[in-house]
Amino acid sequence: TQNLLFENDEKEKRAAELVIASKKLLFQNEEKDKRAAELIVATKELIFQNEEKEKRATELVITNQALSIAAAAFESSAAIVVTDKNNNILRVNLAFNTITGHTVEDVIGQELPPILFGHQDKILNEAAWSRANQEGQWEGEILSIRKNGEAYQQFLTIKVVKDQDDAISYYVSTFIDITERRAVEDEIKSLAFYDPLTLLPNRRLFADRVKHALLTCSRLEPSCAVMLLDIDHFKTLNDSLGHHFGDLLLQQVATRISHCIREADTVARMGGDEFVVLLEALSIETFEAATQTEVIAQKILYSLNQPYQLDGHEYHSSASIGMTIFGDNKVALDVILKQADIAMYQAKTDGRNSICFYDPKMQEVIVARADMEKDLREAIKNNSFQLYCQIQVDSTGRPIGAEALIRWKHPERGIICPSDFIDLAEESRLILPIGQWVLDTACAQLKIWQKNPLTRDLVLSINISARQFHQKDFVKQVKETLQMHKVNPARLKLELTESMLVKNISDIMKTMNALNKIGICFSLDDFGTGYSSLKYLKILPLNELKIDRSFVRDITAGASDKAIVIAIISMANSLNINVIAEGVETEEQRQCLLDIGCSDYQGYLFGEPMPIDEFEALLKKG
């Protein structure tokens, strides 16, 4: 039992020791758990610290990038200047030195406005910074001064930087040099509104100024006037001496007109050799305004009549001026220009080198002329023409030929003579189809005549206009027409006027020689009234001279006319050229012409122009 008790005591003792050991182990575990928790907390703190460091590092990278971008932007092509609130320079970039010529050492601590602008525009400087202070920013174009004293155009932007108390801390000014850009823009503007040859306003700018004048024009305010000016025979100068001399003349004309007008007036070049002048602030009285306009126009006309020096060539010129007065702001610009154009056309019609005011009656003439041109085009389209013939005879009264004369069969006005429409046909170039119609009809008639013994020996004369004759393919046209109708070229005579022989004489000779070679004859019409030259008679293949009716009319009454006719006949005989007198109306005239050696005649004494069937009937009567 004692042994059992002892064993039990030992077991209890052991159990107590085990309890104590277990408690120790539990305490140790708790210490370990506590340490583990502490380690966890420490680890979390380290992780947090690392995250903060990474965040800071990222912020530093972003900050550095921003600083790099800012630095790159600061060194841009635009000049940047940072100043304090008193406008003393704190920092500038490289572009500032490039544009202004000032180095960093030159400007740091200096006041910005004098550096940029000098002291020439203090009011603008003060206004710019005052506006920037009020609105936080200012921008605009200013004239600046480089370090070397050179002026240049600058586009400047001023921005205000304020602190947290809304007080000004800094100014950041940026600017670029726009001198070249402004020069290009000015050149583009000049091309858009000014004539590059004369440097005068062009049509576009002139129209704008007339519109402005119209806005201020009323019955109670001063009148205005427009005068349209055209240089007489300008094309002749270009054709004879070349366009270089034409340009020199235009430049000198522009200068002379500019010196003749008042400061408030405008002279512009409309194009070609046409100039236009706007006179403003004239009298409210129409008559007095017209007088003022006429004085200026006469002054211009006199100035333009003075000799010109064109590269060593002395040249004389004149002008035709049309004028119109307006004082009503309701009148349209195109109406004003049209009125001046009508007046100028009348000045040319009156003989050029003159001035003319617009008259409503002129408008009626222009409208009638436009209507006639329209009708003439319809006549060409509908073949509304007829060929008349006027007989030509020799000293015995024997028919030797006829002159073909066109007539226009107008549906309302009846038969119209060429004197009433040929000038219009020339100006409108309708003379070309009309001339071809005459040539074709004449050849068709010759084909009929050559089958009749009564008419087969007659020569038919047709009038050729200068425009028609100077066509490049004129020779070809004549040859093809003759071949088409199969007629003898010797029976066709082409009548030319002396005025056609003024220029391009070498080309004229080629054309005449080519046609003369196939047998066509040539007659020089109205001889003695144009640009007579013995040289032409010598070198051109002329078969006939026609003594103008103005000499024949008074040949029995005036010794001078008779002397001229005698001289013409004598000269023609010596050159072996036939002579025919036109406009013979009396037996006395015929006898006088016969006595002085002229044996061929044309005129009312022998027969007036008549339709071909009547002409043939006249021949049958003998």
Side-chain angles (χ1 to χ4, degrees), residues 148 151 182 236 354 360 373 537:
N148 61 8
R182 182 63 60 229
T236 303
S354 61
E373 181 177 338
L537 301 182

Side-chain angles (χ1 to χ4, degrees), residues 525-541:
D525 196 11
D526 302 331
F527 186 76
T529 62
Y531 303 89
S532 302
S533 173
L534 298 181
K535 179 181 69 174
Y536 301 146
L537 301 182
K538 177 183 176 181
I539 64 176
L540 296 178

Side-chain angles (χ1 to χ4, degrees), residues 491-519:
R491 294 290 173 258
L492 180 66
K493 184 186 294 181
L494 305 184
E495 292 195 10
L496 311 178
T497 59
E498 289 181 298
S499 59
M500 293 171 57
L501 311 179
V502 176
K503 58 183 180 179
N504 299 330
I505 190 65
S506 60
D507 292 338
I508 292 172
M509 286 180 60
K510 290 178 183 178
T511 300
M512 292 181 68
N513 285 329
L515 293 174
N516 187 253
K517 189 175 181 180
I518 64 173

Side-chain angles (χ1 to χ4, degrees), residues 5 59 147 162 211 246 388 400 426 428 449 455 475 554 574 615:
L5 288 171
E59 289 175 349
K147 183 179 181 179
K162 296 184 179 181
K211 289 177 182 177
Y388 276 41
I400 57 174
E426 286 275 7
S428 60
W449 280 0
T455 56
V475 173
D554 298 322
S574 65
F615 175 78

Side-chain angles (χ1 to χ4, degrees), residues 344-573:
M344 184 187 72
Y345 179 82
Q346 185 61 45
K348 285 187 173 293
T349 303
D350 292 342
R352 294 184 169 85
N353 194 25
S354 61
I355 63 175
C356 182
F357 276 99
Y358 168 75
D359 186 332
K361 291 181 180 178
M362 295 180 190
Q363 181 68 41
E364 296 175 8
V365 173
I366 296 299
V367 171
R369 192 175 183 85
D371 290 341
M372 177 173 278
E373 181 177 338
K374 179 182 177 182
D375 291 347
L376 192 55
R377 292 183 184 277
E378 285 296 317
I380 295 170
K381 182 179 178 181
N382 300 326
N383 200 22
S384 301
F385 299 105
Q386 185 176 357
L387 209 60
Y388 276 41
C389 286
Q390 186 174 27
I391 196 168
Q392 297 173 336
V393 301
D394 63 14
S395 59
T396 66
R398 180 179 64 86
I400 57 174
E403 180 179 0
L405 301 164
I406 190 173
R407 295 293 187 267
W408 175 10
K409 297 183 294 183
H410 195 280
E412 298 174 1
R413 298 172 57 185
I415 299 297
I416 301 179
C417 293
S419 59
D420 294 330
F421 69 87
I422 287 298
D423 287 344
L424 174 60
E426 286 275 7
E427 293 175 11
S428 60
R429 298 184 65 87
L430 295 177
I431 195 65
L432 298 180
I434 291 175
Q436 181 58 42
W437 180 89
V438 171
L439 176 62
D440 186 69
T441 305
C443 288
Q445 188 59 49
L446 283 172
K447 183 177 182 179
I448 296 173
W449 280 0
Q450 68 185 10
K451 298 177 182 178
N452 186 343
L454 191 63
T455 56
R456 65 187 178 192
D457 294 328
L458 295 181
V459 175
L460 188 59
S461 301
I462 62 173
N463 292 281
I464 302 297
S465 75
R467 193 181 295 277
Q468 182 184 10
F469 185 82
H470 289 298
Q471 293 178 99
K472 292 183 178 180
D473 61 344
F474 180 67
V475 173
K476 180 182 177 183
Q477 290 179 24
V478 175
K479 288 182 177 180
E480 289 179 350
T481 305
L482 288 168
Q483 291 170 1
M484 180 177 64
H485 293 286
K486 296 181 174 59
V487 297
N488 182 2
R491 294 290 173 258
L492 180 66
K493 184 186 294 181
L494 305 184
E495 292 195 10
L496 311 178
T497 59
E498 289 181 298
S499 59
M500 293 171 57
L501 311 179
V502 176
K503 58 183 180 179
N504 299 330
I505 190 65
S506 60
D507 292 338
I508 292 172
M509 286 180 60
K510 290 178 183 178
T511 300
M512 292 181 68
N513 285 329
L515 293 174
N516 187 253
K517 189 175 181 180
I518 64 173
I520 289 178
C521 300
F522 287 95
S523 176
L524 192 57
D525 196 11
D526 302 331
F527 186 76
T529 62
Y531 303 89
S532 302
S533 173
L534 298 181
K535 179 181 69 174
Y536 301 146
L537 301 182
K538 177 183 176 181
I539 64 176
L540 296 178
L542 293 169
N543 305 93
E544 179 182 82
L545 298 182
K546 291 190 79 173
I547 300 174
D548 186 68
R549 65 181 69 250
S550 62
F551 300 120
V552 174
R553 183 178 56 245
D554 298 322
I555 194 170
T556 59
S560 58
D561 288 314
K562 186 175 181 180
I564 291 173
V565 173
I566 292 173
I568 293 173
I569 294 171
S570 176
M571 177 178 57
N573 289 338

Side-chain angles (χ1 to χ4, degrees), residues 235-248:
K235 187 176 183 299
T236 303
L237 172 63
N238 275 338
D239 292 344
S240 58
L241 295 180
H243 289 277
H244 169 65
F245 288 90
D247 289 346
L248 291 177

